[in-house]
């Protein structure tokens, strides 16, 4: 049973380019969370999605950032016109459901390290 | 406001000794979950232990135990018999249940170094 997959693992972009980060949740998981980790900091929640729906995007910058989780295929975090401050590790996590308890534990992917030159 | 505070930026411990990593939290939600994750230098996030706010007993998982003091709003992680492989960043996280889903709020982390 494969874990959460993220690709690419490392991504280098020049200022102004677009970055596309992909996340394939664990089999049977329909809930995806994206987090950002700036250097030497903890993870910060960005967005929570279910299949075809954005449920909570309160942690995502209003400009340049978007996320989707289509019916088929991986979840995508898209950053347009990247700036140096976007350099960070972006983690995706999936869970089988919602609610209480560690039965809905979030399983994290290995992260995508984005570097903006 | 929902907040996690980890006051120890770095900790040192001798191999085979026990160490406590501090975590305090702030929430107005009546029910919530508390998590600890380990992040080694390779960068992945490894789930260690979970405590529900309604759980009567402190959680334990092998060498990890969570010292949960609800009145003090603290959820300290205790690692017994430290090993060299325990050297890593450790993050405390909380998930308030009011939203109906497990959005995690993380602390800034504690870097643990285990010395031989």
């Amino acid at each position: 049973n494969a874990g959460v997959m993220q690709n690419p693992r490392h991504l280098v972009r020049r200022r102004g380019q677009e970055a596309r980060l992909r996340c394939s949740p664990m089999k049977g998981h329909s809930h995806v969370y994206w987090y950002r980790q700036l250097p030497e900091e903890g993870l910060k929640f960005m967005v929570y999605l279910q299949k075809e729906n954005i449920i909570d995007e309160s942690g995502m910058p209003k400009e340049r950032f978007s996320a989707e989780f289509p019916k088929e295929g991986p979840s995508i975090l898209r950053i347009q016109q990247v700036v140096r401050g976007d350099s960070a590790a972006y983690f995706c996590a999936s869970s089988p459901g919602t609610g209480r308890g560690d039965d809905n534990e979030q399983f994290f992917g290995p992260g995508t390290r984005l570097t903006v030159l | 406001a929902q907040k996690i505070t980890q006051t120890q930026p770095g900790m040192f411990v001798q191999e085979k000794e026990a160490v406590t990593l501090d975590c305090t939290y702030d929430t107005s939600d009546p029910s919530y979950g508390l998590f600890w994750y380990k992040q080694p230098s390779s960068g992945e996030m490894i789930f260690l232990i979970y405590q529900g706010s309604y759980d009567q007993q402190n959680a334990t998982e092998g060498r990890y135990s969570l010292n949960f003091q609800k009145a003090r709003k603290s959820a300290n992680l205790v690692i017994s018999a430290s090993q060299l492989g325990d050297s890593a960043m450790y993050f405390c996280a909380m998930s308030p249940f009011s939203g109906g889903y497990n959005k995690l709020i993380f602390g800034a982390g504690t870097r643990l170094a285990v010395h031989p």
Side-chain angles (χ1 to χ4, degrees), chain A residues 9 33 35 37 40-45 48 55-56 58 91 97-102 104-106 108-110 113, chain B residues 31 35 37 39 42-47 50 54 61 89 91 95 97 100-109 111:
Chain A
R9 294 290 305 276
Y33 302 78
Y35 295 86
Q37 184 179 29
E40 303 302 318
E41 293 189 13
L43 280 69
K44 297 282 195 299
F45 168 80
Y48 161 57
I55 308 300
D56 181 348
S58 59
F91 288 91
T98 60
R100 307 175 179 193
D102 61 350
N104 287 315
E105 170 199 338
Q106 292 182 31
F108 280 82
R113 271 117 190 113
Chain B
S31 62
F35 302 78
Y37 286 86
Q39 187 177 44
S42 51
E44 71 268 32
M45 295 292 287
I46 302 168
F47 166 75
Y50 165 83
Y54 43 84
E61 286 285 349
M89 281 291 286
F91 292 99
S95 172
F97 293 141
Y101 50 91
N102 292 344
K103 176 167 84 175
L104 291 172
I105 299 158
F106 283 85
R111 185 174 300 279

XYZ file of all heavy atoms in Angstrom, chain A residues 9 33 35 37 40-45 48 55-56 58 91 97-102 104-106 108-110 113, chain B residues 31 35 37 39 42-47 50 54 61 89 91 95 97 100-109 111:
473
model
N 10.050 16.089 -6.053
C 10.593 16.233 -4.702
C 11.336 17.557 -4.556
O 11.358 18.152 -3.488
C 11.534 15.072 -4.390
C 10.858 13.714 -4.323
C 9.953 13.598 -3.096
N 10.661 13.882 -1.863
C 11.372 12.993 -1.193
N 11.476 11.751 -1.622
N 11.980 13.341 -0.073
N -4.817 17.647 2.527
C -4.420 18.892 3.183
C -3.059 19.314 2.609
O -2.195 18.470 2.401
C -4.254 18.691 4.696
C -5.482 18.190 5.420
C -5.846 16.844 5.362
C -6.260 19.050 6.188
C -6.972 16.376 6.042
C -7.380 18.593 6.867
C -7.724 17.254 6.787
O -8.837 16.794 7.455
N 0.232 21.879 3.391
C 0.912 22.688 4.396
C 2.192 23.258 3.786
O 2.801 22.645 2.918
C 1.303 21.840 5.618
C 0.137 21.274 6.394
C -0.441 20.062 6.022
C -0.382 21.939 7.503
C -1.511 19.534 6.728
C -1.447 21.417 8.221
C -2.005 20.212 7.826
O -3.061 19.690 8.528
N 6.057 24.800 4.855
C 7.066 24.933 5.906
C 8.180 25.840 5.412
O 8.979 25.452 4.545
C 7.634 23.571 6.312
C 8.609 23.654 7.477
C 9.161 22.292 7.889
O 9.289 21.379 7.079
N 9.487 22.150 9.169
N 13.333 26.671 8.935
C 13.436 26.783 10.393
C 12.102 27.115 11.072
O 12.080 27.658 12.160
C 14.470 27.846 10.776
C 15.854 27.611 10.200
C 16.453 26.272 10.598
O 16.314 25.885 11.771
O 17.031 25.583 9.724
N 11.001 26.776 10.441
C 9.690 27.018 11.050
C 8.862 25.738 11.046
O 9.208 24.749 10.402
C 8.945 28.123 10.292
C 9.568 29.490 10.416
C 8.699 30.576 9.831
O 7.512 30.320 9.539
O 9.208 31.704 9.662
N 7.752 25.792 11.763
C 6.796 24.688 11.724
C 5.933 24.762 10.483
O 5.979 25.719 9.721
N 5.136 23.720 10.291
C 4.246 23.692 9.137
C 3.040 24.602 9.366
O 2.520 24.684 10.475
C 3.742 22.256 8.891
C 4.694 21.309 8.168
C 5.882 20.949 9.018
C 3.939 20.048 7.741
N 2.618 25.246 8.282
C 1.443 26.115 8.350
C 0.387 25.584 7.377
O 0.679 25.350 6.197
C 1.799 27.553 7.964
C 2.799 28.226 8.887
C 2.165 28.693 10.175
C 3.010 29.678 10.952
N 4.296 29.165 11.369
N -0.830 25.421 7.882
C -1.937 24.947 7.064
C -2.222 25.923 5.924
O -2.225 27.139 6.122
C -3.189 24.805 7.939
C -4.461 24.604 7.172
C -4.796 23.358 6.660
C -5.324 25.668 6.949
C -5.979 23.170 5.962
C -6.502 25.495 6.245
C -6.829 24.244 5.750
N -7.561 22.743 2.582
C -8.100 21.402 2.766
C -9.102 21.136 1.651
O -9.989 21.957 1.402
C -8.761 21.290 4.139
C -9.738 20.148 4.307
C -9.336 18.830 4.092
C -11.044 20.391 4.704
C -10.230 17.787 4.260
C -11.939 19.353 4.873
C -11.530 18.057 4.648
O -12.413 17.018 4.824
N -12.656 22.873 0.716
C -13.449 23.018 1.926
C -12.968 24.195 2.760
O -13.759 24.955 3.307
C -13.405 21.730 2.778
C -13.781 20.503 1.925
C -14.289 21.869 4.006
C -15.167 20.572 1.319
N -11.662 24.343 2.879
C -11.094 25.396 3.722
C -9.803 25.869 3.080
O -8.858 25.105 2.980
C -10.836 24.844 5.138
C -10.263 25.881 6.097
O -9.835 26.969 5.656
O -10.219 25.597 7.313
N -8.404 28.873 4.099
C -8.116 30.035 4.943
C -6.627 30.315 5.101
O -6.233 31.430 5.415
C -8.749 29.852 6.329
O -8.242 28.683 6.941
N 4.146 20.409 1.943
C 3.746 19.056 2.301
C 2.265 18.849 2.014
O 1.432 19.714 2.267
C 3.992 18.787 3.791
C 5.437 18.640 4.162
C 6.171 19.739 4.561
C 6.045 17.397 4.102
C 7.509 19.608 4.907
C 7.382 17.266 4.446
C 8.118 18.367 4.845
N -10.860 10.088 6.296
C -12.130 10.714 6.616
C -11.890 11.922 7.488
O -10.802 12.496 7.517
N -12.912 12.289 8.186
C -12.827 13.451 9.054
C -13.280 13.044 10.444
O -13.596 11.903 10.708
C -13.737 14.594 8.559
O -15.096 14.126 8.544
C -13.352 15.019 7.167
N -13.316 14.043 11.319
C -13.827 13.755 12.656
C -12.717 13.520 13.642
O -11.595 13.941 13.461
N -13.049 12.808 14.661
C -12.155 12.740 15.795
C -11.302 11.490 15.772
O -11.647 10.489 15.187
C -12.980 12.749 17.085
C -13.926 13.907 17.126
C -14.826 13.856 18.323
N -15.704 15.027 18.302
C -16.438 15.408 19.323
N -16.402 14.731 20.440
N -17.209 16.457 19.222
N -10.230 11.596 16.482
C -9.465 10.389 16.740
C -8.349 10.154 15.751
O -8.327 10.695 14.651
N -7.423 9.335 16.176
C -6.291 9.064 15.278
C -6.663 8.082 14.196
O -5.832 7.736 13.366
C -5.080 8.592 16.074
C -5.353 7.309 16.827
O -6.519 6.886 16.885
O -4.407 6.738 17.372
N -8.462 9.010 11.979
C -8.408 9.927 10.855
C -7.092 10.698 10.844
O -7.038 11.850 10.433
C -9.604 10.889 10.909
C -10.880 10.172 10.531
O -10.903 9.431 9.562
N -11.922 10.379 11.297
N -6.053 10.007 11.276
C -4.702 10.552 11.246
C -4.338 10.992 9.840
O -4.746 10.367 8.859
C -3.721 9.475 11.691
C -2.254 9.791 11.492
C -1.399 8.538 11.507
O -1.847 7.525 12.064
O -0.306 8.583 10.938
N -3.575 12.049 9.758
C -3.090 12.524 8.468
C -1.744 11.876 8.171
O -0.839 11.899 8.993
C -2.949 14.042 8.494
C -4.280 14.749 8.585
C -4.141 16.248 8.564
O -3.230 16.813 7.946
N -5.038 16.919 9.246
N 1.496 12.007 5.904
C 2.196 13.029 5.151
C 3.008 12.437 4.011
O 3.596 11.356 4.140
C 3.134 13.825 6.065
C 2.423 14.888 6.862
C 1.755 14.571 8.028
C 2.411 16.212 6.427
C 1.090 15.547 8.757
C 1.745 17.192 7.152
C 1.084 16.858 8.317
N 3.059 13.183 2.925
C 3.980 12.875 1.846
C 5.367 13.376 2.178
O 5.564 14.044 3.204
N 6.352 13.082 1.313
C 7.737 13.467 1.592
C 8.017 14.943 1.379
O 9.073 15.435 1.751
C 8.543 12.618 0.600
C 7.589 12.384 -0.525
C 6.233 12.296 0.085
N 10.328 20.431 -2.183
C 11.132 21.584 -1.820
C 11.234 22.521 -3.019
O 11.870 22.176 -4.013
C 12.524 21.155 -1.356
C 12.553 20.883 0.145
C 12.899 19.428 0.435
N 12.693 19.127 1.848
C 11.749 18.293 2.296
N 10.962 17.656 1.442
N 11.580 18.088 3.575
N -13.381 20.268 22.300
C -12.730 19.002 21.998
C -11.738 19.182 20.858
O -11.971 19.953 19.928
C -13.757 17.912 21.646
O -14.475 18.253 20.499
N -1.160 16.043 18.632
C -0.285 15.142 17.880
C 1.166 15.549 18.095
O 1.482 16.714 18.285
C -0.564 15.243 16.374
C -1.983 14.931 15.968
C -2.998 15.868 16.142
C -2.295 13.728 15.357
C -4.307 15.597 15.742
C -3.590 13.446 14.947
C -4.594 14.382 15.145
N 4.831 14.943 15.915
C 5.488 14.455 14.709
C 6.987 14.628 14.851
O 7.466 15.582 15.474
C 5.021 15.239 13.472
C 3.627 14.896 12.998
C 2.519 15.526 13.543
C 3.420 13.938 12.008
C 1.238 15.217 13.119
C 2.134 13.627 11.572
C 1.063 14.270 12.138
O -0.206 13.957 11.712
N 10.516 15.031 12.575
C 11.031 15.362 11.243
C 12.550 15.204 11.256
O 13.280 16.077 11.718
C 10.642 16.785 10.831
C 11.011 17.102 9.379
C 10.565 18.482 8.931
O 10.718 19.453 9.650
N 10.013 18.561 7.727
N 16.187 14.206 6.849
C 15.729 13.873 5.495
C 14.442 14.606 5.138
O 14.064 14.671 3.962
C 15.532 12.362 5.364
O 14.726 11.882 6.421
N 13.738 15.155 6.125
C 12.625 16.056 5.848
C 11.234 15.494 5.944
O 10.279 16.272 5.970
N 11.064 14.187 5.989
C 9.695 13.674 6.031
C 9.081 13.877 7.407
O 9.781 14.071 8.389
C 9.643 12.186 5.647
C 10.218 11.228 6.652
C 11.686 10.933 6.416
O 12.401 11.827 5.941
O 12.103 9.798 6.754
N 7.775 13.869 7.481
C 7.027 14.035 8.727
C 6.553 12.662 9.182
O 5.801 11.989 8.476
C 5.825 14.959 8.519
C 6.186 16.384 8.179
S 6.975 17.237 9.542
C 5.592 17.485 10.632
N 6.971 12.267 10.373
C 6.646 10.937 10.903
C 5.725 11.097 12.105
O 6.103 11.726 13.097
C 7.925 10.190 11.304
C 8.865 10.058 10.095
C 7.601 8.819 11.893
C 10.263 9.594 10.447
N 4.542 10.525 12.034
C 3.587 10.575 13.138
C 4.107 9.730 14.293
O 4.545 8.590 14.107
C 2.231 10.059 12.659
C 1.260 9.756 13.762
C 0.634 10.789 14.430
C 0.987 8.459 14.134
C -0.269 10.524 15.446
C 0.091 8.182 15.149
C -0.536 9.212 15.807
N -0.750 10.307 19.437
C -1.971 11.116 19.407
C -2.651 11.059 20.777
O -2.673 10.013 21.438
C -2.925 10.562 18.343
C -4.340 11.086 18.468
C -4.674 12.327 17.916
C -5.324 10.376 19.151
C -5.958 12.824 18.031
C -6.608 10.869 19.275
C -6.922 12.087 18.708
O -8.194 12.592 18.831
N -10.588 14.293 25.102
C -11.573 13.600 25.917
C -11.027 12.280 26.465
O -11.729 11.566 27.178
C -12.818 13.318 25.066
C -12.463 12.835 23.681
C -12.179 11.491 23.434
C -12.372 13.733 22.618
C -11.820 11.060 22.176
C -12.006 13.297 21.339
C -11.739 11.964 21.133
O -11.375 11.541 19.870
N 3.045 5.095 23.105
C 3.373 4.338 21.892
C 4.830 3.947 21.989
O 5.724 4.717 21.669
C 3.173 5.202 20.629
C 1.759 5.465 20.221
C 1.079 4.266 19.574
O 1.773 3.286 19.247
O -0.147 4.329 19.404
N 13.983 17.066 14.457
C 13.047 18.107 14.887
C 11.765 17.423 15.331
O 11.316 16.456 14.701
C 12.725 19.060 13.741
C 13.784 20.092 13.473
S 13.918 21.327 14.772
C 12.438 22.303 14.468
N 7.716 18.216 16.325
C 6.641 19.196 16.244
C 5.412 18.709 17.000
O 4.964 17.570 16.826
C 6.257 19.466 14.783
C 7.308 20.167 13.988
C 8.151 19.461 13.150
C 7.463 21.542 14.088
C 9.136 20.108 12.414
C 8.441 22.204 13.353
C 9.280 21.480 12.522
N -5.409 19.748 16.561
C -6.497 19.801 15.603
C -7.788 20.053 16.358
O -8.309 19.137 17.018
C -6.578 18.482 14.832
O -7.744 18.461 14.037
N -11.693 20.264 16.757
C -12.697 19.473 16.044
C -13.919 20.275 15.633
O -14.828 19.739 15.027
C -13.131 18.285 16.896
C -12.051 17.267 17.110
C -11.911 16.641 18.327
C -11.173 16.942 16.094
C -10.911 15.706 18.536
C -10.167 16.014 16.288
C -10.042 15.380 17.519
N -15.022 20.129 12.067
C -15.460 18.855 11.524
C -14.396 18.139 10.726
O -14.648 17.113 10.113
N -13.189 18.692 10.704
C -12.100 18.015 10.019
C -10.801 18.331 10.745
O -10.754 19.189 11.609
C -12.022 18.436 8.544
C -12.022 19.927 8.318
C -10.840 20.654 8.262
C -13.222 20.614 8.152
C -10.859 22.020 8.054
C -13.234 21.977 7.942
C -12.060 22.667 7.896
O -12.088 24.025 7.685
N -9.745 17.616 10.387
C -8.521 17.654 11.187
C -7.462 18.599 10.643
O -6.365 18.186 10.299
C -7.941 16.243 11.297
C -8.832 15.341 12.122
O -9.696 15.819 12.835
N -8.626 14.049 12.016
N -7.766 19.885 10.601
C -6.760 20.866 10.212
C -5.747 20.961 11.344
O -6.106 21.207 12.489
C -7.440 22.213 9.989
C -6.490 23.348 9.678
C -7.259 24.556 9.175
C -7.821 25.414 10.251
N -8.448 26.640 9.715
N -4.487 20.749 11.046
C -3.440 20.743 12.058
C -2.793 22.109 12.205
O -2.449 22.760 11.219
C -2.367 19.707 11.710
C -2.784 18.237 11.821
C -1.700 17.343 11.254
C -3.076 17.874 13.252
N -2.629 22.505 13.474
C -1.909 23.734 13.800
C -0.621 23.302 14.490
O -0.668 22.609 15.511
C -2.749 24.623 14.732
C -4.055 24.996 14.026
C -1.976 25.872 15.140
C -5.151 25.395 14.966
N 0.510 23.704 13.921
C 1.808 23.238 14.400
C 2.510 24.285 15.253
O 2.363 25.489 15.047
C 2.722 22.900 13.219
C 2.402 21.593 12.556
C 1.431 21.521 11.569
C 3.070 20.438 12.904
C 1.139 20.325 10.945
C 2.779 19.236 12.284
C 1.802 19.177 11.303
N 3.346 23.793 16.180
C 4.279 24.650 16.877
C 5.538 24.849 16.043
O 5.670 24.282 14.952
N 6.454 25.638 16.568
C 7.682 25.973 15.835
C 8.710 24.856 15.875
O 9.676 24.876 15.106
C 8.282 27.255 16.395
N 8.509 23.896 16.779
C 9.390 22.746 16.804
C 10.498 22.841 17.841
O 10.874 23.932 18.291
N 14.422 21.094 18.321
C 15.456 20.255 17.726
C 16.131 19.454 18.837
O 16.711 20.031 19.757
C 16.496 21.105 16.994
C 17.528 20.270 16.239
C 18.459 21.147 15.416
N 17.767 21.936 14.408
C 17.373 21.487 13.225
N 17.612 20.235 12.887
N 16.762 22.287 12.382
